[in-house]
Amino acid sequence: MTAAVLLLCLLFPSTLHARLVHPGEDGFSECNDFFHQGSPPQGFSHPDNAKICQRYQGDKHYATLYSTQHKIPVYSAFTYQEDAGGAWESWMVEPQVDDSKSSLDEVSKGSDVTEKVPGLGTKQALEEDYASTDYQPGLLYHKASPALTSSVPLMPDFKEKWATDVDQLVKEKFLPHCENGENLHLLAGAVPSDTKINDKVSVPEYVWLAACCSAPDTWSLGVIKRTGDVEGLEQVSVEELENQLSGDVKLFAGQCGGGAVHPELRSTSEASTQTEEEPPVQTPGAFVRFFQFIFSVVYEVIKSVLCLVWFLLKQVFNVILGRLCWIWTAVTTYVFALSKVLLNIPYDVLRVFGNILCGFVRVLDNALSVVCLILRLPTRFLCDMASFPYYTICAIPDVGMDILSGVWGVFMLGFSTVFGAFGGSFSVASFAGSSVFQRFIGQSEGYEN
């Protein structure tokens, strides 16, 4: 089932969203439903805090106020769901925390978006920030999807115990006194300490959980667990929890029924407090106290020596491992570069021979072109000389015809000349005889009449 859900997530990435809520939007925008009366906690207005609305497979999952200064969440808000949580197989990051203008509005693996988001990890914790440390990323609420923006650095035993404590509180104390899970609003948060892993991610001083039920009765309850005490768990009212966080903090709108604690929860809390505060007291004797003092001194000395030895061993191991990694990286880089150069040598040699061969071909082509140019002129002349008799013999009939045509033309011209001269003489003689004859017979009309 998990593999099928993961496959669907990979095929349809648009169903995985973790959107950064911008300042212009009201509260946590579409994730306001996770808060009591749709109102987020007040008193956490820090310029380095970013609002994130986490969605999974089209459903809203939870809302987170993330501290980009300490690289841990200030708090995350949930409504109880039995099947809450994601099917992701690895820790996810939110690209928009480091780049608010990024179009990547989906949670992603850090290795998949390193090149797409410049400066990834500047404002949020990454999985590699936990490397070479004893800490592990731990969810504030164990049913949340595994996003690093809703996780804090925890020791493995504390991480497991915190998840068990929260699960028992919700199932054995909160749900029996609340009508259904939709009416149970949960806030889980962390308060940073001065300790940081890899000088980046703050280790929490303590983690806390606040519950608010709106039906059938309105009640609230707070829980504090300090990271130095794995077994300890302190149940307080929401007002006391707010005072621990800061005097200006208001976790629930209207104090969730005025901050009232359910009677049965109050009695359970008081009973556990009385049990813790009133153990049977036995006053030890002087010898026992001296023996306890000596034992405590020896224990602390041995503990300090062992811690020092362990610290030195870890430092030596880290130095040796770091050097080995550096040598391995240098050797692999050198071998890769050398292999690349050696593999390029045959290619370069073949390319040089190819260029030389192409050069010879070009020279030969140019030489042949010159020879053809030189041989072209005498070849054409010889061809013309060879074809001269042919054209001469073939031209004789045409020349003869032209000569005959010329002779015939001359003859016709002489004939026309003689005939014209004879005709003209005859016309003149005829005209002269006609005039003489008319005068002889006495005709008086002139030539014009």
Side-chain angles (χ1 to χ4, degrees):
M1 180 65 180
T2 302
V5 174
L6 179 62
L7 180 60
L8 290 175
C9 295
L10 293 175
L11 293 176
F12 304 99
S14 59
T15 59
L16 293 173
H17 297 281
R19 187 176 68 84
L20 195 68
V21 181
H22 298 287
E25 301 181 57
D26 183 22
F28 281 75
S29 191
E30 64 267 33
C31 284
N32 285 335
D33 296 341
F34 293 108
F35 302 99
H36 177 60
Q37 297 181 358
S39 179
Q42 304 297 319
F44 294 101
S45 57
H46 193 280
D48 293 328
N49 292 341
K51 298 178 181 178
I52 305 174
C53 180
Q54 179 74 58
R55 296 180 292 171
Y56 174 68
Q57 290 186 338
D59 297 328
K60 296 173 292 187
H61 240 227
Y62 57 89
T64 297
L65 184 67
Y66 189 76
S67 172
T68 59
Q69 176 185 1
H70 298 286
K71 313 297 186 298
I72 60 173
V74 179
Y75 64 77
S76 293
F78 311 85
T79 53
Y80 179 79
Q81 294 179 358
E82 181 63 31
D83 57 346
W88 309 335
E89 294 185 352
S90 61
W91 291 97
M92 298 293 183
V93 298
E94 169 46 51
Q96 289 188 340
V97 171
D98 288 308
D99 184 6
S100 59
K101 298 180 180 179
S102 174
S103 59
L104 299 173
D105 59 349
E106 305 173 2
V107 288
S108 309
K109 292 181 63 175
S111 57
D112 295 339
V113 296
T114 301
E115 297 180 357
K116 300 178 182 179
V117 181
L120 182 68
T122 305
K123 296 183 179 180
Q124 65 179 311
L126 302 179
E127 199 168 358
E128 51 264 31
D129 294 329
Y130 290 85
S132 302
T133 69
D134 296 329
Y135 291 93
Q136 297 177 356
L139 292 168
L140 292 175
Y141 181 53
H142 62 288
K143 287 186 175 292
S145 301
L148 287 171
T149 49
S150 61
S151 306
V152 295
L154 298 176
M155 298 297 288
D157 54 347
F158 186 92
K159 172 184 173 181
E160 183 178 355
K161 191 63 171 65
W162 171 245
T164 303
D165 291 342
V166 172
D167 192 56
Q168 290 179 349
L169 281 171
V170 172
K171 291 185 177 180
E172 298 178 8
K173 291 188 177 182
F174 296 166
L175 286 178
H177 304 293
C178 205
E179 189 171 286
N180 56 54
E182 295 180 357
N183 296 323
L184 180 61
H185 295 273
L186 300 173
L187 290 174
V191 175
S193 66
D194 295 332
T195 304
K196 291 186 177 182
I197 59 173
N198 290 324
D199 198 26
K200 180 180 178 181
V201 185
S202 296
V203 176
E205 180 181 351
Y206 61 88
V207 293
W208 55 270
L209 178 72
C212 171
C213 180
S214 55
D217 299 322
T218 303
W219 56 266
S220 61
L221 185 66
V223 175
I224 297 175
K225 188 176 183 68
R226 302 190 180 276
T227 54
D229 186 4
V230 177
E231 299 297 330
L233 188 68
E234 183 181 359
Q235 295 185 18
V236 295
S237 65
V238 170
E239 184 178 359
E240 292 173 335
L241 176 58
E242 290 173 345
N243 292 333
Q244 285 270 2
L245 299 175
S246 174
D248 299 331
V249 171
K250 299 298 178 185
L251 296 178
F252 299 110
Q255 288 298 92
C256 190
V261 180
H262 195 277
E264 295 186 17
L265 294 177
R266 183 187 299 113
S267 61
T268 304
S269 176
E270 291 175 354
S272 61
T273 304
Q274 291 176 1
T275 303
E276 292 177 358
E277 292 180 353
E278 298 178 2
V281 179
Q282 296 181 356
T283 305
F287 177 77
V288 175
R289 289 198 301 272
F290 176 75
F291 180 77
Q292 290 177 345
F293 172 74
I294 296 298
F295 177 79
S296 300
V297 171
V298 174
Y299 173 78
E300 292 297 330
V301 170
I302 294 175
K303 180 181 177 182
S304 301
V305 171
L306 291 177
C307 289
L308 178 61
V309 172
W310 175 245
F311 174 77
L312 293 175
L313 288 176
K314 283 204 309 182
Q315 295 299 320
V316 172
F317 177 76
N318 290 335
V319 170
I320 295 175
L321 184 62
R323 292 299 178 184
L324 290 177
C325 291
W326 180 83
I327 293 173
W328 172 255
T329 303
V331 170
T332 53
T333 303
Y334 175 76
V335 171
F336 176 76
L338 182 61
S339 302
K340 185 177 180 182
V341 171
L342 293 176
L343 290 175
N344 285 336
I345 289 175
Y347 170 75
D348 293 336
V349 171
L350 291 176
R351 187 173 61 179
V352 170
F353 278 113
N355 292 336
I356 294 173
L357 182 61
C358 292
F360 278 120
V361 171
R362 291 193 188 96
V363 171
L364 182 60
D365 178 68
N366 293 332
L368 291 176
S369 299
V370 171
V371 171
C372 291
L373 181 62
I374 294 172
L375 295 177
R376 186 181 300 172
L377 293 175
T379 302
R380 181 177 295 178
F381 175 76
L382 293 175
C383 289
D384 292 340
M385 290 294 294
S387 62
F388 177 75
Y390 168 76
Y391 288 115
T392 303
I393 295 171
C394 292
I396 291 174
D398 294 333
V399 173
M401 291 299 295
D402 291 339
I403 293 173
L404 290 176
S405 297
V407 172
W408 177 256
V410 171
F411 174 76
M412 290 303 295
L413 180 62
F415 178 78
S416 297
T417 302
V418 172
F419 185 79
F422 178 76
S425 300
F426 180 76
S427 297
V428 171
S430 177
F431 178 73
S434 177
S435 298
V436 172
F437 180 74
Q438 286 178 0
R439 288 183 182 276
F440 178 75
I441 63 176
Q443 194 175 1
S444 59
E445 289 85 356
Y447 175 76
E448 290 85 359
N449 294 332

